[in-house]
Amino acid sequence: MKKLTTAALFGTMVFLSFITAVQGALLTDIINFFHPESSAQGLPVFLASVGGMVSLASTFFLIGRLPKFRLLEIGIMICCVFLCGVALAKTFFLFLSAWFAVGIGIGYMDALISSCIADLYTGKDATRTMCNLHTTAGISSMIAPIIYSALKSAGVQWNHLYYVISVFGLFMFAVMILVANKTLSSHTTETVHTENKMNFQETVSHLISGRFPFLLLAIFMHGIFLGGLNSWLTHYVSVTLNGKLGSIALSFLFFGVLISRFLFPFTGFDRTKYLSRAGFLAGIVFAAALPFSSDVVVCVAAALCALCFGAMIPCLLNEACADMPETTLLATTSMVLCLYLGQGLASPILGAFEKGAGLRYGMFFCSGIMILTSAVLSIKKVHGEIE
């Protein structure tokens, strides 16, 4: 059952990655179809993040009150239904509204997948499996833009791609129901557990204890950086630089993320040093490419940058869950909530740069934020507690 549950969780992560990757991959199509103002072009990603934050906030009240599998199934179905709404939208308002609803489902899935993995695995197995989980996300995010581009070249309308993703989600919904029923009937101890209910004071006490606030701040800033690239890198390469690699720019980024997450469990790197240095390296590498007006240079730099920072999210989630082994859903929910807040703020911020100083300066802003992420984790108190 443990292997079957793990496989189902990995499949759900693929579905989640296909949803998040489509936002940046189709941004130019969205702009050409709806013709929104420059400052409004990042609103789909922003509202999806807001929807995710709404669902994550509700999760604080659902901990211990609803089985994790059931909440995960709810998240999958919400995404399936409202992805169809995204495809059917004829006005930008309806398009944004549907993305807000999709974001609610994304939020549930994002927190619960990592929490379930943390329940199933501990110690070195937890680190390896969490990195493998996010490696799967990297693979999916890397190939998704290529798949979408190929389907469009084959004559599929850009908005019909949302139907394709929804069908895959329905399959995963059926798989999760099967896994949940088999788990209940097997009475195994190696399963996802229901956590104890907590009142408001207990929840706050967990969130402000020790180094946890610094972990939350670090993943928030990481979200700004990653959200900015995920939403605007394709547009930056294809429009700002007038390059030919725009359709696969995100694939360069996600390829670096993939390699980083795949290799990290085998490197033997000290996690303390990695978390406190990876952001510095990533920010510097990406910033060094921005003065050049070459799409090739920027795409290669995106891959190298991702190679540096790619394993930071699974490492941060592992640290959070290790701090709260008895309530991993609280740990992942709060961490993902801060990640989403950062991602949600990134898109309109870069949209403002596009309208004002220029998107190149927005990319420099992202680089600076990535450097600050490791700066927070380099604070002596946090560095010592992680160690």
Side-chain angles (χ1 to χ4, degrees):
M1 277 308 304
K2 186 175 180 178
K3 291 182 179 179
L4 178 61
T5 303
T6 302
L9 292 170
F10 273 56
T12 305
M13 178 59 87
V14 172
F15 173 54
L16 175 59
S17 300
F18 272 39
I19 297 174
T20 56
V22 78
Q23 296 173 326
L26 298 183
L27 179 60
T28 301
D29 295 289
I30 294 167
I31 292 173
N32 291 336
F33 185 83
F34 292 108
H35 304 290
E37 295 291 332
S38 296
S39 59
Q41 291 171 4
L43 283 178
V45 177
F46 173 72
L47 288 176
S49 296
V50 172
M53 287 184 279
V54 169
S55 61
L56 289 167
S58 71
T59 303
F60 287 114
F61 301 98
L62 295 174
I63 293 174
R65 294 174 173 82
L66 192 67
K68 292 183 181 180
F69 279 139
R70 295 300 173 229
L71 191 54
L72 184 55
E73 292 161 8
I74 290 172
I76 294 172
M77 183 51 66
I78 289 174
C79 286
C80 291
V81 172
F82 286 98
L83 279 170
C84 295
V86 172
L88 291 169
K90 299 301 180 184
T91 67
F92 197 52
F93 174 78
L94 292 176
F95 185 81
L96 295 176
S97 301
W99 262 117
F100 171 80
V102 171
I104 293 176
I106 290 174
Y108 285 133
M109 287 194 293
D110 217 350
L112 283 156
I113 294 171
S114 295
S115 175
C116 292
I117 290 295
D119 286 347
L120 292 170
Y121 298 93
T122 59
K124 292 183 178 179
D125 288 340
T127 300
R128 183 180 66 253
T129 308
M130 192 73 79
C131 281
N132 288 340
L133 175 71
H134 289 270
T135 296
T136 300
I139 294 173
S140 305
S141 299
M142 182 184 71
I143 66 174
I146 298 174
I147 293 174
Y148 300 148
S149 180
L151 288 174
K152 286 196 298 180
S153 298
V156 178
Q157 295 182 27
W158 69 270
N159 58 322
H160 289 178
L161 295 175
Y162 298 113
Y163 292 128
V164 177
I165 304 171
S166 182
V167 170
F168 177 58
L170 290 174
F171 170 75
M172 291 314 307
F173 177 78
V175 171
M176 288 308 306
I177 290 178
L178 175 65
V179 169
N181 291 337
K182 283 187 172 292
T183 299
L184 290 174
S185 62
S186 66
H187 304 291
T188 179
T189 57
E190 291 185 325
T191 187
V192 175
H193 63 265
T194 300
E195 299 172 4
N196 296 326
K197 299 178 183 178
M198 289 187 294
N199 58 36
F200 179 76
Q201 289 182 335
E202 290 172 329
T203 300
V204 173
S205 177
H206 277 86
L207 295 179
I208 64 175
S209 62
R211 59 176 174 150
F212 204 76
F214 294 94
L215 295 177
L216 294 176
L217 178 59
I219 203 166
F220 164 74
M221 291 190 294
H222 194 293
I224 294 177
F225 170 78
L226 190 58
L229 292 191
N230 189 41
S231 302
W232 287 93
L233 182 61
T234 296
H235 191 69
Y236 177 71
V237 172
S238 60
V239 178
T240 303
L241 300 182
N242 195 27
K244 298 180 179 180
L245 300 179
S247 63
I248 59 172
L250 283 176
S251 293
F252 279 87
L253 179 74
F254 293 130
F255 178 75
V257 171
L258 161 66
I259 298 300
S260 176
R261 292 173 178 177
F262 176 75
L263 292 179
F264 186 80
F266 304 103
T267 59
F269 287 165
D270 180 85
R271 190 161 57 224
T272 305
K273 294 179 180 178
Y274 171 72
L275 288 172
S276 61
R277 296 176 184 176
F280 286 115
L281 292 173
I284 291 170
V285 167
F286 191 64
L290 295 177
F292 299 93
S293 296
S294 167
D295 57 343
V296 175
V297 171
V298 171
C299 287
V300 171
L304 294 175
C305 167
L307 188 63
C308 297
F309 77 78
M312 288 186 74
I313 288 180
C315 285
L316 285 168
L317 289 174
N318 266 324
E319 292 296 328
C321 290
D323 278 6
M324 302 181 186
E326 74 285 356
T327 176
T328 59
L329 185 53
L330 175 60
T332 58
T333 297
S334 55
M335 291 289 282
V336 174
L337 179 58
C338 287
L339 179 66
Y340 277 26
L341 181 60
Q343 289 176 326
L345 290 174
S347 194
I349 288 173
L350 265 68
F353 272 108
E354 166 77 351
K355 187 176 182 180
L359 191 53
R360 189 188 303 271
Y361 288 97
M363 294 290 119
F364 273 116
F365 169 78
C366 288
S367 297
I369 288 293
M370 188 73 260
I371 292 172
L372 287 176
T373 301
S374 276
V376 167
L377 295 171
S378 299
I379 297 173
K380 185 175 181 180
K381 179 180 183 295
V382 184
H383 190 278
E385 290 191 16
I386 290 178
E387 192 170 30

